[in-house]
Amino acid sequence: MGKFKRELVPGSYLTAADMLSTLSQQQLKAAALEGRILLAVEPPVAWLLDSCCVGRATMQSAAPMLPTAAGGEDSSMRDAQLAALVVSIAGLNAASEEVSAQYEQHRQRVWAAQQRKASRGKRGATVAALPMQTQGGGTVQVSLVQVSLQEAVFLSHVLRCCEVYVGTSSAGVLQQQDGSAQQGLQGMQDGVGMISQEQQQHHGVQEAGSSVPAAVLAGRDLWQWCFQHTAGGAGVFAPHYAAYHHLRSLGWLPLPGLAYGADYVLYQLHPELAHSDFVVTVMVAGDAREAAACMQEGGGQGVFSGLGAADAAQQGGQQGAQQGGKQDGALISQPSSLPSTQLAWLDACIMHRLARQVLKEMMLLYVVVPPGLSLVDFNCIREFQVREVLVQRWVPSEHREAVS
């Protein structure tokens, strides 16, 4: 496990299994908008999602609902329009009494730690939110949380705790190029008016404006929407989702690994509590033989798990000792039926050196996609095989056999 950032008290933090159990008990609603999937939530729900390593807040700091100066638009105005549109499409995810109580306890603990100067302030006591007016003259705090496409499919298809809605006439609401503040204000009014009747009774939000028709992306619709909004289409989205599904199912917490030049970075606990262990690059192979050949050619030590246990057993004991070969040769080349990507030796060496400098291991996650398999349905991942390969450098001074 990665190095802990602080002393942990058993029962005071969520394990990966606890996170999945907590998420499965939620009933979330998200909006598919501009190629992204967003949730309008109350701050306690945003804190809960962050505690379960799902999504990221899109608001950097709390800001007023309307800009003070007329004419120009700033980030807070953009956030207000976007939050209102998300609410109009999917509604507001209200916090239960239990989640609200846990969030309040968290705020008190963080505040007390800051008072004792025991916290470095990496995770604040409050969640950035925008106020929305209610009938009684009060406000409802609304935060925006963006989940990745892989997370959205996992929440919807696997945990069955999230419904994704898409608006059929929402494109014009977010046009920002004309600089029209009136259009943004109308968008916010429309958003307030689209909170469901149940939520209106709970929050007392007043009705105003017109609705934005929305439809639920269920089953195959969500899967197809995701790969239609992924560069490279289904040939890129499906293997990357299979990798996310595989890692999360094994108890890891895969988070974006762009900072390390990889697809994912793996944690065993929340990033606030522990450092990550692995940087993961997703590789795609057309069949098991091609994957095995690439692993053997690439060298390093192979560690396999997941589907295809028979093939894994045959390849698990092999260790490539040769570091020769062409320096510019590729470790893997995808078949023509999928988007072609290559990982050259130079790139592999750079990625491995970067991973070692930050005390992490480099992993190549091979996703074996059978040739000719249709990727237009979620169930296609049942035919995938996922194999893990750890990449290690052979250092003579460290790996020389002892001479008796």
Side-chain angles (χ1 to χ4, degrees):
M1 179 179 291
K3 183 179 178 181
F4 293 130
K5 296 183 178 179
R6 65 184 66 174
E7 183 178 356
L8 300 180
V9 178
S12 63
Y13 59 90
L14 294 177
T15 64
D18 296 333
M19 294 178 185
L20 295 181
S21 177
T22 301
L23 288 170
S24 64
Q25 299 173 10
Q26 309 304 312
Q27 296 295 328
L28 304 173
K29 295 182 179 181
L33 190 65
E34 294 183 327
R36 298 180 294 171
I37 296 183
L38 301 167
L39 294 88
V41 300
E42 291 186 339
V45 180
W47 166 79
L48 178 67
L49 293 175
D50 175 74
S51 300
C52 296
C53 293
V54 170
R56 61 179 181 84
T58 62
M59 297 178 181
Q60 299 300 323
S61 61
M65 191 67 174
L66 291 174
T68 55
E73 293 187 4
D74 55 12
S75 60
S76 63
M77 183 66 175
R78 173 68 174 179
D79 288 341
Q81 294 175 341
L82 191 57
L85 185 56
V86 172
V87 171
S88 71
I89 295 175
L92 177 64
N93 292 276
S96 64
E97 295 182 0
E98 180 181 0
V99 173
S100 298
Q102 294 174 354
Y103 176 62
E104 188 60 31
Q105 293 175 1
H106 162 73
R107 293 180 58 187
Q108 294 176 0
R109 288 196 301 267
V110 174
W111 176 255
Q114 290 176 346
Q115 291 297 104
R116 298 192 305 266
K117 297 183 180 180
S119 174
R120 298 183 180 180
K122 290 186 178 180
R123 191 181 181 194
T126 59
V127 176
L130 293 172
M132 184 171 288
Q133 293 183 352
T134 63
Q135 280 184 342
T139 58
V140 176
Q141 297 296 323
V142 179
S143 299
L144 277 180
V145 175
Q146 179 178 344
V147 297
S148 68
L149 302 185
Q150 289 81 8
E151 290 173 335
V153 174
F154 189 81
L155 293 176
S156 178
H157 286 277
V158 180
L159 299 183
R160 301 186 182 279
C161 65
C162 182
E163 292 182 343
V164 181
Y165 294 80
V166 59
T168 59
S169 61
S170 58
V173 181
L174 288 180
Q175 294 296 332
Q176 301 293 323
Q177 301 298 329
D178 56 359
S180 174
Q182 294 295 330
Q183 184 181 10
L185 178 59
Q186 182 64 37
M188 285 181 288
Q189 292 173 347
D190 292 347
V192 174
M194 274 305 294
I195 297 181
S196 66
Q197 186 67 26
E198 180 180 354
Q199 292 169 338
Q200 291 177 23
Q201 295 175 359
H202 178 72
H203 297 291
V205 180
Q206 59 187 354
E207 295 187 6
S210 59
S211 65
V212 178
V216 179
L217 290 175
R220 177 181 295 188
D221 295 335
L222 176 60
W223 178 263
Q224 294 182 353
W225 188 94
C226 288
F227 70 67
Q228 288 172 359
H229 291 81
T230 299
V236 173
F237 174 76
H240 280 74
Y241 171 76
Y244 178 89
H245 186 127
H246 172 79
L247 296 170
R248 190 96 196 200
S249 300
L250 290 179
W252 292 98
L253 302 175
L255 298 180
L258 183 60
Y260 304 102
D263 294 304
Y264 297 111
V265 59
L266 298 187
Y267 294 83
Q268 288 197 31
L269 294 177
H270 192 282
E272 181 188 351
L273 303 176
H275 294 281
S276 57
D277 296 271
F278 299 96
V279 292
V280 180
T281 300
V282 179
M283 312 294 289
V284 182
D287 53 46
R289 293 183 179 179
E290 180 182 356
C294 294
M295 296 171 195
Q296 188 174 7
E297 177 186 353
Q301 182 176 1
V303 181
F304 306 93
S305 68
L307 301 177
D311 292 338
Q314 296 177 3
Q315 298 292 337
Q318 295 186 2
Q319 177 177 358
Q322 298 85 0
Q323 290 295 330
K326 298 180 179 180
Q327 294 295 326
D328 295 332
L331 292 179
I332 183 171
S333 176
Q334 297 180 5
S336 58
S337 58
L338 295 178
S340 178
T341 59
Q342 292 184 344
L343 180 60
W345 274 112
L346 177 60
D347 296 331
C349 292
I350 293 174
M351 294 170 60
H352 184 270
R353 183 178 294 274
L354 175 60
R356 295 303 299 168
Q357 286 178 348
V358 291
L359 303 180
K360 307 182 192 309
E361 297 289 341
M362 177 181 172
M363 178 188 296
L364 299 180
L365 195 66
Y366 284 84
V367 180
V368 181
V369 181
L373 178 66
S374 175
L375 304 179
V376 298
D377 187 82
F378 172 78
N379 292 324
C380 68
I381 66 171
R382 297 178 181 270
E383 305 297 329
F384 291 2
Q385 296 181 13
V386 181
R387 301 179 176 186
E388 304 156 10
V389 178
L390 295 181
V391 179
Q392 299 177 354
R393 290 182 63 234
W394 186 77
V395 181
S397 60
E398 297 179 1
H399 298 88
R400 183 181 296 112
E401 296 181 359
V403 178
S404 57

